Amino acid sequence: GESVGLHLPTLSVQEGDNSIINCAYSNSASDYFIWYKQESGKGPQFIIDIRSNMDKRQGQRVTVLLNKTVKHLSLQIAATQPGDSAVYFCAEPPRTNDYKLSFGAGTTVTVRA
Amino acid sequence: DTGVSQDPRHKITKRGQNVTFRCDPISEHNRLYWYRQTLGQGPEFLTYFQNEAQLEKSRLLSDRFSAERPKGSFSTLEIQRTEQGDSAMYLCASSWGQGINNEQFFGPGTRLTVL
């Protein structure tokens, strides 16, 4: 079964506001997490990743936070734009030293103009 | 465009027919993955190649499914005697590296509809 999951299936956000997408995982030994964005009709696109030796990692307009104590990670999108409307997945290798990825069900983000 | 291409993008077939999908990964990538995605769900792992060797198959991959990567470049996924439950998006991804945790680049997928 999947080892990662998202708290909310949908998120509606006003253009210009910040978005926060949450993900919980169950395997305390998990050491690598990735966020993917999937637009309608396209394959998932890598956004940002984080390793378990980090608490925070920043990219362009995105920040991922990892809380290993409660086994939770979040993706924050600053100044959300219409192009951010998509389904967002957190993913991880299901076991240490595993190459494949286990995905959660996804959060659909809709940006209101 | 990630550089991973898949063909066809859409396939409609009748139950019982065989279908074959093709994936062309990023040329220098040594690893190739197949995933299946149903509506409202995240991708589920099917199988994985390192160069031409198929190293792992999911229990989701029944005997009707077969995948090949004969020269370590493109890959094909064949489904024999298709069933309505096979209707899904089939995604291919590729990555490069000797270690784990290398970014996987996904193709646009092949959407299969079995009537």
Side-chain angles (χ1 to χ4, degrees), chain B residues 32-44:
Chain B
L32 187 149
Y33 313 78
W34 285 98
Y35 292 83
R36 181 174 70 185
Q37 186 177 26
T38 53
L39 198 62
Q41 300 298 314
E44 296 175 293

Side-chain angles (χ1 to χ4, degrees), chain A residues 81-101:
Chain A
Q81 302 170 0
D84 295 327
S85 293
V87 181
Y88 290 82
F89 296 98
C90 58
E92 63 165 341
R95 292 177 297 275
T96 303
N97 297 326
D98 206 330
Y99 296 101
K100 61 184 179 287
L101 294 175

Side-chain angles (χ1 to χ4, degrees), chain B residues 20-38:
Chain B
T20 299
F21 309 142
R22 176 179 171 122
C23 170
D24 287 272
I26 294 172
S27 59
E28 61 268 25
H29 283 185
N30 58 342
R31 297 185 191 140
L32 187 149
Y33 313 78
W34 285 98
Y35 292 83
R36 181 174 70 185
Q37 186 177 26
T38 53

Side-chain angles (χ1 to χ4, degrees), chain B residues 4 8 20 32 36 38-40 42 47 55 61-62 66 72 89 93 106 110:
Chain B
V4 179
T20 299
L32 187 149
R36 181 174 70 185
T38 53
L39 198 62
T47 190
L55 297 187
L61 218 64
S62 75
S66 62
M89 175 78 85
F106 282 81
T110 294

Side-chain angles (χ1 to χ4, degrees), chain B residues 89-101:
Chain B
M89 175 78 85
Y90 290 84
L91 293 162
C92 174
S94 69
S95 68
W96 165 254
Q98 296 300 318
I100 61 170
N101 301 338

